[in-house]
Amino acid sequence: MANKQNNRNRNNNENMTVEEAGRKGGEATSRNHDRDFYEEIGRKGGEATSKNHGHEFYQEIGRKGGEATAENHGEEFYEEIGRKGGEATSEKHDDDFYEEIGRKGGEARSKQRSNNSNGNQNRQNNNNN
């Protein structure tokens, strides 16, 4: 049985496994092509994927990726990427940006509280009837 598996893993010239041949081919491709080549094939692959899959596909792979990341990294990882993201954002934006997002956040929170208050009032009215 092991012999059969070994044969399946060998390419036609019998000198290396399919895995070894793939690695060598990848290395040769890497030597012969630049970053633009990889960006182009990535773009084409992304376009083809988006034509063949809907919104749910991307939600699912995002969820799976998030779960895998959470399993493989601890709290320190998230603290570090949060810190780096905050630093990058602060380098790109001025005080006006933070004032604007603060205003929008405050308005959204106020609306949320208002909706919750109305919902509670409606529930109280329904309970009294």
Side-chain angles (χ1 to χ4, degrees):
M1 184 74 164
N3 238 358
K4 209 178 213 183
Q5 182 65 33
N6 237 358
N7 288 340
R8 272 190 242 144
N9 289 335
R10 299 259 170 217
N11 68 3
N12 290 336
N13 71 14
E14 293 291 325
N15 292 327
M16 67 181 88
T17 65
V18 173
E19 187 176 285
E20 291 168 327
R23 181 183 47 76
K24 287 183 101 175
E27 290 169 355
T29 301
S30 176
R31 284 191 301 273
N32 295 324
H33 296 284
D34 61 4
R35 180 182 178 102
D36 291 340
F37 169 79
Y38 289 101
E39 287 177 358
E40 179 70 10
I41 62 173
R43 183 188 58 75
K44 287 179 179 179
E47 288 173 359
T49 300
S50 96
K51 286 180 185 173
N52 295 321
H53 298 284
H55 182 70
E56 295 80 16
F57 169 78
Y58 291 99
Q59 286 180 321
E60 180 68 8
I61 63 173
R63 183 188 59 74
K64 287 180 178 179
E67 288 173 359
T69 301
E71 288 174 12
N72 294 321
H73 298 284
E75 188 176 309
E76 298 82 21
F77 169 78
Y78 290 101
E79 289 172 357
E80 178 70 8
I81 63 173
R83 184 187 58 72
K84 287 180 177 178
E87 288 173 358
T89 301
S90 72
E91 289 172 8
K92 293 178 183 173
H93 299 286
D94 60 7
D95 289 345
D96 292 339
F97 168 79
Y98 289 100
E99 289 174 12
E100 178 69 9
I101 63 172
R103 183 187 59 73
K104 287 180 178 179
E107 288 173 359
R109 185 69 175 128
S110 176
K111 185 183 271 187
Q112 184 182 41
R113 285 185 174 164
S114 176
N115 288 341
N116 286 344
S117 175
N118 289 340
N120 289 338
Q121 185 64 44
N122 288 339
R123 279 192 288 281
Q124 283 179 343
N125 290 341
N126 288 337
N127 288 337
N128 291 335
N129 290 336

